[in-house]
Amino acid sequence: MASGIPEVDKFLQYRLFVGVPKNNQKLNMIAIVQEQGKIINAKNYPFLVIPTSNAKGRKTSQITGLYRRGHALGVDDITQPYKFRIMFVLKKSVKIPPRPFMRYTLDHKKDEWNILLTNLIHEMLIGRLTANKAYTKLGNKIVDDLKQTINDFAHPQNSKLTQERKGFDNPLIDSGILRDSITFYLIKKG
């Protein structure tokens, strides 16, 4: 459907997508799990191995003297209760609750985005804006709003174990990779 206005016609040839990079399967999985929630069960081993803050980012193979005691892996340490420093907790499964940051942002910002889109189309109609610049402004606004939601998201909280390991309680931020990967891209309508 052509409008007869070149920049608007260019604009209408594409679809705007916002989220994690489409070719990064790991980030897509993380975003989907955060959005929808998931129960993760141990598969190849009897337990999932969940690090505590004592592990300091190390893997089990990197800790000398590590052994199992009950539902924990740790090392001897006379300064700790029971003379045992817990490095990892063993669990059959973990439940990650839904943290629908994408749906939340859409629900709370779509009216604002529609107003921006209307203004951008108006600017294209009167020749003050190109289609590329319009998509850049709209895409950047949606990206910024999603990142802000990730920064501000507070409920449901992380488990106490996760809060201790991370040193803070932002349920959608661990390293910041998910938030920092949010981008936009265009796909030509086919």
Side-chain angles (χ1 to χ4, degrees):
M1 175 187 224
S3 70
I5 299 166
E7 290 305 319
V8 173
D9 290 342
K10 285 181 198 173
F11 189 85
L12 294 173
Q13 291 176 11
Y14 292 90
R15 290 178 196 253
L16 175 68
F17 289 87
V18 180
V20 297
K22 64 181 178 179
N23 58 351
N24 189 319
Q25 291 179 349
K26 182 178 179 181
L27 283 173
N28 275 276
M29 181 271 303
I30 291 168
I32 290 168
V33 167
Q34 291 294 2
E35 187 73 15
Q36 299 174 355
K38 184 162 180 75
I39 295 175
I40 300 173
N41 297 303
K43 286 185 182 176
N44 299 326
Y45 299 96
F47 297 101
L48 297 167
V49 179
I50 314 297
T52 68
S53 60
N54 293 329
K56 296 180 181 164
R58 295 174 291 176
K59 297 179 182 179
T60 56
S61 62
Q62 298 172 309
I63 300 174
T64 306
L66 189 69
Y67 67 96
R68 181 177 172 185
R69 192 186 282 183
H71 286 282
L73 297 175
V75 295
D76 289 328
D77 184 341
I78 60 171
T79 68
Q80 296 297 305
Y82 306 105
K83 299 179 180 162
F84 183 72
R85 180 176 297 274
I86 297 172
M87 307 296 255
F88 301 91
V89 174
L90 304 174
K91 294 189 168 239
K92 294 248 182 221
S93 66
V94 293
K95 180 180 180 183
I96 301 170
R99 296 179 174 107
F101 68 98
M102 290 182 273
R103 282 177 283 166
Y104 178 90
T105 307
L106 176 64
D107 289 347
H108 288 82
K109 295 291 186 171
K110 65 184 172 196
D111 291 340
E112 192 176 317
W113 298 338
N114 281 329
I115 291 168
L116 175 59
L117 178 59
T118 301
N119 291 334
L120 294 171
I121 290 171
H122 178 260
E123 292 294 309
M124 284 187 288
L125 287 170
I126 61 174
R128 287 192 202 159
L129 192 65
T130 65
N132 286 343
K133 286 184 180 177
Y135 269 124
T136 298
K137 286 183 178 198
L138 182 59
N140 283 334
K141 172 65 174 147
I142 297 170
V143 166
D144 290 346
D145 288 342
L146 273 169
K147 287 181 177 184
Q148 191 62 53
T149 297
I150 290 171
N151 284 335
D152 295 345
F153 214 90
H155 297 285
Q157 293 180 297
N158 285 128
S159 70
K160 294 295 180 200
L161 181 63
T162 301
Q163 289 179 43
E164 177 189 299
R165 179 188 54 79
K166 287 172 40 171
F168 58 92
D169 183 29
N170 183 316
L172 290 172
I173 295 179
D174 191 355
S175 66
I177 291 172
L178 174 66
R179 177 200 56 215
D180 296 344
S181 76
I182 302 293
T183 189
F184 73 90
Y185 53 94
L186 301 175
I187 295 181
K188 191 162 187 163
K189 295 177 183 176

